[in-house]
Amino acid sequence: MYLRSYSPSDCVTLYELFVDTVHAVNAKDYSKAQLDAWAPRKGSVSREAILDSWNASFLLHHTVVALVNNLIVGFGDISSEGYLDRLFVHKDYQRQGIATAICNDLEKSVEGKKITTQASITAKPFFIKRGYKVVKEQTVIRQGVALTNFLMEK
């Protein structure tokens, strides 16, 4: 496994990895309606608008992509202010240290700053093990559907 910087040509693959991962890995903690609202499948929302937004965000942030045998298996991004926006690992590559490697790189890029994230129910234990503390439980609304997450900081 190795990490490299994000390239705009990665955006579609990262979005598809995100959708597939959310629907597979987070299904134990969220309902189908919540998963569909959080990670819309093709055709349910403007995919082009999402990709444009994601690409712009990735380019503004420190964004890294994890590869195994030239296959993208994970990614993460963090703002210069220390907001860890996304951290996802392919469903078939969970529990192999990939999220840890990505997170180490992201945190190092903002060393000395407070880091915040909005962790899913599923991701909360990972962040707690890394020394993050829950600031508060939140309910966010996506496409009219309520989802629970946790504002966390380190």
Side-chain angles (χ1 to χ4, degrees):
M1 190 267 310
Y2 72 96
L3 300 179
R4 67 162 169 78
S5 296
Y6 169 77
S7 168
S9 63
D10 298 326
C11 197
V12 170
T13 301
L14 299 189
Y15 184 73
E16 290 171 354
L17 185 151
F18 157 74
V19 171
D20 291 344
T21 299
V22 166
H23 283 269
V25 175
N26 298 89
K28 66 185 177 104
D29 297 310
Y30 295 92
S31 70
K32 181 171 180 351
Q34 289 172 316
L35 298 172
D36 289 340
W38 178 10
R41 300 264 189 203
K42 293 178 183 177
S44 57
V45 293
S46 172
R47 184 176 159 103
E48 187 173 319
I50 291 171
L51 293 174
D52 287 346
S53 172
W54 274 43
N55 184 57
S57 174
F58 286 147
L59 291 171
L60 286 174
H61 294 171
H62 174 71
T63 305
V64 293
V65 176
L67 294 102
V68 172
N69 298 325
N70 291 321
L71 174 71
I72 293 176
V73 297
F75 68 96
D77 65 304
I78 193 167
S79 74
S80 59
E81 294 82 26
Y83 177 65
L84 197 160
D85 194 355
R86 288 161 285 227
L87 177 62
F88 291 94
V89 174
H90 188 284
K91 64 181 175 64
D92 296 335
Y93 291 85
Q94 299 279 312
R95 302 196 183 282
Q96 296 180 27
I98 295 167
T100 296
I102 294 168
C103 208
N104 288 344
D105 184 276
L106 297 177
E107 289 175 1
K108 186 177 178 185
S109 76
V110 294
E111 201 164 3
K113 293 186 178 179
K114 179 173 74 172
I115 301 170
T116 60
T117 194
Q118 295 185 57
S120 67
I121 296 167
T122 314
K124 180 182 162 192
F126 170 82
F127 285 106
I128 287 174
K129 285 181 187 174
R130 292 190 62 84
Y132 286 72
K133 304 289 184 215
V134 174
V135 175
K136 65 178 178 177
E137 182 174 325
Q138 307 179 123
T139 300
V140 294
I141 306 299
R142 297 277 186 269
Q143 299 185 41
V145 178
L147 296 105
T148 298
N149 74 14
F150 301 89
L151 177 61
M152 302 182 77
E153 68 181 29
K154 180 179 184 180

